[in-house]
C-alpha cells in the first residue's frame, strides 16, 4: 500500500458534523481512538486485517458490513477481549498494548454486547451500580463494618444510578429483576450500565436488534442525546440502515475483515464497492 | 428502599439465630437436652460457619471449592498451638481470651494459606478449579500429617517428619494433637456464627459483594465494566478461608484429640452437601442444613447399622422436597427473599 493511501485511510472519517453544533468539538487534534494497522489471526485465518480508524471526540461513528465481516471482532480487539496480533490501539493518548479488558475500561472504553450480557438475577439498579463500581468507591472493610463511608457510597451510587436510568426513563424499573425486562429495555439497560463506567468512547454492538421501528427511532434520538449530554464518542455496529444513516456522522464498512470504505452516510450510500459487498456484483450486459 | 430491606432481612436472620441460641441454652441449663446432643452443640456451630463460608465461595462467588476442610485443619492446628503457647509461654490463664485469640490466629493462618492457594487456583475455571482445590486440601492434610510441634518453655519447635524434638509435644504428626485444653464453649460458637453472618451478609450487600456476584453471573460483562474478577474471587475465597480457620480453631479446642486425617476429602464434601442441600447461594439454607445434618447421625444412633442408609434416604428426600414447586412457593412465602440471589444455581 502506498504511503498516500495509507495516510488517507488514517485521516478523520468525517469532514464535518452532521448533527447539531457542539462548541467543544475538536475535529482534528487529540482523537479519542486511534487504531493503526490493527489485526488478529486465529490460527492463520485473518479475522481482521489492517484496520485503521480515528474517532474524534464526540463523534458518532458506525461500523457496518455483511454478516461475518469481523465487526464484533473489531469491538473485541478495541476492548482487549482479544489481544491483537498486529497493530496498535491508542485510547485518549494511552497505548492499550498489553492491557486487559478491565484496564481498557478504566482508561475510558465501555461497550454493550450483541447477545445481551446483563446480570439477570440482579435488579436493574444493581446492574447500573456494577457499572459505577470504579466511579463511586469504598473498600471491602468499610462495607463489612458498615462504616460511614459505606452509607455515603451507597447513597451516591443509588442517586447516580437513578440519574443514569432516567436517560431512558427507566428509573421506575430500578427494583425489577434485569432478566425479566423486555428485550428492548434490556438493550437500553446495557447502554446505561456501560455509560455508568464513565467512558470517553462507548461501543454499541447492535443496539437496535430486536427493537420495533418506534423503539429504534427513540434509540436514535437517545444516542444523539447521550453524546450531547456526556460529550463522549460513540461507535456502533448496526444492521438497521435507517438508524446508521440517521445518527452516524461517519461510517466505516468492513468486509472479510478489511475496511472497504469510509465516509459520510451519503458517500457510503453511493459507494459502488459497498453496494457490491452487500448486494453482489451486477452482471455485465 | 433496597438498603433498608436488606438490612431488615439481615436483622431478621440475626434475630432467628439469637432465639435459636436462647432455646438451646435454656434446654442445656434445664437439662432437657440429652447429653449426647449437648456434645454436638459446638460441632453444629462449627459446621454452620463452615457451610456459610463455603457458600460464599460456591454460591456467591460461583467457584466450586472441594478443599474447604483444608483451611479448617489449618485453623485447628494453628489454634491449638496458639492456645498452648499463650498458656505455656505467656501464662495467659483466662480461657475466654485465650480461645478468642487462638481463633484469630487460626483465622489468620487459614487466610494466609487461602491467599497463597488462591493465587494459582483462581487462575483456573470450572472443573479445573474444583480439582485443584481438592488437591490443595489433600496437600494440606498430608503436610500436617508430617509436622511435629512442641513447646519447650517459651520456645516453639517445629520439625518435619522427625518426632524427636525437645519439650512437650503439642502436635504429634499423624497422631495429631492430644490432651488439648478443651476451652471451647457453646456461647463462643454462637458468637462465631453471628460474626460469620455479619461478615458474609454485609459483604454480599456491599459494593464488593455486588462485584463478586457480577463476576459469577457474567465474567465477560463484569470485566467489561472494569471489575477485576480475580481480585473479587480472591476476596471471597480468602474471607471464606479465614472464617473456616476460625471455625477450625473452635473445633480443635472442643475435642480432646484431633488428627489431621479427620479433615480429609470427606469433610470437604460433607460441608459441600450442607451448602447444596441448603440451596446454593442461600445463606439461610446453609445454616439449617448444617445444623440438621450434623445432629441427624446422632439422632439416628437408635437405628444402629442402618444409620447411614437412613441418612442417605433423608438427604434424597430433602432434595426432592426442596425441588418441589409447591414446597418452594410455600418456602418463599415463609422466608423473606434475600438479596443474595437465591438463583445462584448456575454456579455449579
Amino acid at each position: 500500500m502506498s504511503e498516500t493511501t495509507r495516510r488517507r485511510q488514517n485521516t478523520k472519517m468525517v469532514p464535518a458534523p452532521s448533527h447539531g453544533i457542539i462548541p467543544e468539538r475538536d475535529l482534528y487534534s487529540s482523537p479519542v481512538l486511534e487504531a493503526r494497522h490493527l489485526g488478529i489471526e486465529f490460527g492463520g485465518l485473518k479475522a481482521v486485517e489492517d484496520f485503521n480508524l480515528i474517532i474524534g471526540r464526540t463523534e458518532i461513528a458506525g461500523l457496518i458490513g455483511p454478516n461475518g465481516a469481523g465487526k464484533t471482532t473489531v469491538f473485541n480487539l478495541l476492548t482487549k477481549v482479544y489481544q491483537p496480533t498486529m497493530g496498535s490501539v491508542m485510547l485518549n493518548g494511552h497505548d492499550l498494548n498489553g492491557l486487559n479488558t478491565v484496564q481498557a475500561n478504566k482508561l475510558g472504553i465501555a461497550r454493550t454486547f450483541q447477545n445481551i450480557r446483563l446480570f439477570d438475577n440482579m435488579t436493574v439498579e444493581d446492574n447500573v451500580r456494577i457499572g459505577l463500581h470504579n466511579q463511586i468507591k469504598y473498600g471491602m472493610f468499610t462495607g463489612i463494618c458498615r462504616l460511614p463511608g459505606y452509607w455515603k457510597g451507597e447513597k451516591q451510587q443509588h442517586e447516580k444510578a437513578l440519574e443514569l436510568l432516567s436517560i431512558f426513563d427507566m428509573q421506575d424499573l430500578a427494583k425489577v429483576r434485569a432478566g425479566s425486562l423486555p428485550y428492548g429495555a434490556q438493550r437500553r439497560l446495557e447502554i446505561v450500565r456501560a455509560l455508568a463506567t464513565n467512558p470517553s468512547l462507548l461501543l454499541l454492538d447492535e443496539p437496535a436488534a430486536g427493537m420495533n421501528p418506534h423503539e429504534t427511532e427513540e434509540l436514535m434520538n437517545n444516542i444523539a442525546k447521550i453524546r450531547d449530554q456526556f460529550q463522549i464518542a460513540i461507535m456502533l455496529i448496526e444492521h438497521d440502515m435507517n438508524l446508521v444513516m440517521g445518527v452516524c456522522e461517519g461510517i466505516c464498512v468492513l468486509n472479510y475483515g478489511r475496511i472497504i470504505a469510509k465516509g459520510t452516510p451519503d458517500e457510503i450510500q453511493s459507494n459502488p464497492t459497498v453496494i457490491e459487498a452487500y448486494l453482489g456484483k451486477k452482471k455485465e450486459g | 428502599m433496597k438498603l433498608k430491606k436488606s438490612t431488615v432481612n439481615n436483622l431478621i436472620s440475626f434475630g432467628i439465630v439469637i432465639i435459636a441460641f436462647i432455646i438451646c441454652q435454656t434446654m442445656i441449663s434445664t437439662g432437657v437436652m440429652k447429653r449426647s446432643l449437648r456434645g454436638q452443640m459446638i460441632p453444629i456451630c462449627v459446621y454452620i460457619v463452615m457451610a456459610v463460608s463455603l457458600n460464599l465461595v460456591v454460591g456467591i462467588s460461583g467457584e466450586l471449592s472441594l478443599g474447604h476442610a483444608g483451611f479448617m485443619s489449618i485453623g485447628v492446628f494453628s489454634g491449638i498451638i496458639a492456645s498452648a503457647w499463650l498458656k505455656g509461654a505467656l501464662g495467659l490463664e483466662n480461657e475466654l481470651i485465650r480461645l478468642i485469640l487462638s481463633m484469630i490466629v487460626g483465622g489468620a493462618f487459614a487466610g494466609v494459606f487461602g491467599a497463597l492457594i488462591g493465587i494459582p487456583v483462581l487462575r483456573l475455571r470450572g472443573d479445573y478449579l474444583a480439582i485443584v482445590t481438592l488437591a490443595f486440601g489433600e496437600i494440606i492434610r498430608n503436610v500436617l500429617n508430617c509436622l511435629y510441634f512442641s513447646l519447650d518453655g517459651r520456645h516453639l519447635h517445629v520439625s518435619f517428619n522427625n518426632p524427636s524434638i525437645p519439650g512437650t509435644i503439642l502436635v504429634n504428626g499423624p497422631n495429631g494433637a492430644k490432651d488439648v485444653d478443651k476451652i471451647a464453649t457453646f456461647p463462643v460458637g454462637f458468637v462465631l456464627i453471628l460474626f460469620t453472618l455479619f461478615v458474609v451478609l454485609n459483604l454480599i450487600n456491599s459494593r464488593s459483594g455486588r462485584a463478586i456476584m457480577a463476576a459469577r453471573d457474567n465474567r465477560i460483562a463484569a470485566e467489561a465494566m472494569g471489575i477485576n474478577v480475580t481480585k473479587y474471587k480472591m476476596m471471597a475465597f480468602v474471607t471464606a478461608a479465614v472464617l473456616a480457620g476460625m471455625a477450625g480453631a473452635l473445633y480443635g479446642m472442643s475435642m480432646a484429640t484431633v488428627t489431621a486425617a479427620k479433615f480429609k476429602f470427606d469433610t470437604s464434601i460433607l460441608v459441600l452437601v450442607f451448602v447444596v442441600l441448603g440451596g446454593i447461594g442461600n445463606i439461610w439454607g446453609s445454616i439449617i442444613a448444617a445444623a440438621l445434618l450434623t445432629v441427624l447421625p446422632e439422632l439416628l444412633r437408635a437405628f444402629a447399622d442402618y444409620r447411614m442408609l437412613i441418612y442417605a434416604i433423608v438427604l434424597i428426600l430433602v432434595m426432592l422436597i426442596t425441588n418441589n414447586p409447591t414446597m418452594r412457593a410455600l418456602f418463599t412465602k415463609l422466608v423473606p427473599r434475600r438479596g443474595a440471589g437465591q438463583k445462584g444455581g448456575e454456579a455449579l
Side-chain angles (χ1 to χ4, degrees), chain B residues 149-165:
Chain B
F149 288 92
S150 74
L151 188 68
D152 182 18
R154 285 178 154 268
H155 300 287
L156 205 57
H157 294 278
V158 190
S159 81
F160 190 77
N161 244 345
N162 173 21
S164 52
I165 42 173

Side-chain angles (χ1 to χ4, degrees), chain A residues 13 35 62 67 116 130 150 152 169 188 194 261 271 277 284:
Chain A
M13 278 164 43
N67 287 329
I116 302 174
I130 284 161
Y150 165 82
K152 203 179 134 217
D169 282 324
R188 287 192 286 269
N271 188 316
E284 291 298 323

Side-chain angles (χ1 to χ4, degrees), chain B residues 23-206:
Chain B
I23 292 170
C24 289
Q25 196 64 329
T26 340
M27 280 169 78
I28 291 170
S29 53
T30 53
V32 179
M33 196 179 280
K34 267 192 284 178
R35 210 186 141 71
S36 60
L37 197 58
R38 220 183 300 163
Q40 290 286 305
M41 293 321 282
I42 294 174
I44 288 174
C45 294
V46 169
Y47 281 117
I48 287 177
V49 174
M50 289 295 291
V52 171
S53 59
L54 185 63
N55 208 338
L56 182 62
V57 178
V58 177
I60 308 303
S61 133
E63 299 296 354
L64 182 58
S65 165
L66 297 177
H68 211 48
F71 298 122
M72 188 182 178
S73 64
I74 291 174
V76 168
F77 290 103
S78 53
I80 288 172
I81 294 162
S83 157
W85 186 76
L86 285 169
K87 193 184 181 189
L90 301 182
L92 186 72
E93 289 295 333
N94 187 319
E95 290 190 348
L96 183 66
I97 296 176
R98 197 143 54 89
L99 176 61
I100 290 168
L101 286 177
S102 309
M103 276 162 60
I104 292 171
V105 171
F109 269 90
V112 169
F113 279 92
L116 287 178
I117 292 169
I119 293 167
V121 163
L122 293 173
R123 299 174 72 91
L124 303 168
R125 292 176 200 182
D127 301 348
Y128 302 102
L129 187 140
I131 293 165
V132 176
T133 51
L134 188 158
F136 270 112
E138 292 298 290
I139 290 170
I140 291 172
R141 180 172 67 87
N142 284 305
V143 169
L144 281 172
N145 249 338
C146 303
L147 283 179
Y148 295 81
F149 288 92
S150 74
L151 188 68
D152 182 18
R154 285 178 154 268
H155 300 287
L156 205 57
H157 294 278
V158 190
S159 81
F160 190 77
N161 244 345
N162 173 21
S164 52
I165 42 173
T168 35
I169 298 274
L170 296 175
V171 177
N172 193 7
N175 294 327
K178 268 190 192 130
D179 305 323
V180 181
D181 245 355
K182 285 171 76 175
I183 53 175
T185 57
F186 176 46
V188 175
F190 158 74
V191 172
L192 183 63
I193 294 178
L194 284 190
F195 175 76
T196 306
L197 282 178
F198 180 81
V199 169
V200 173
L201 292 176
N202 280 358
L203 180 64
I204 291 171
N205 292 307
S206 75

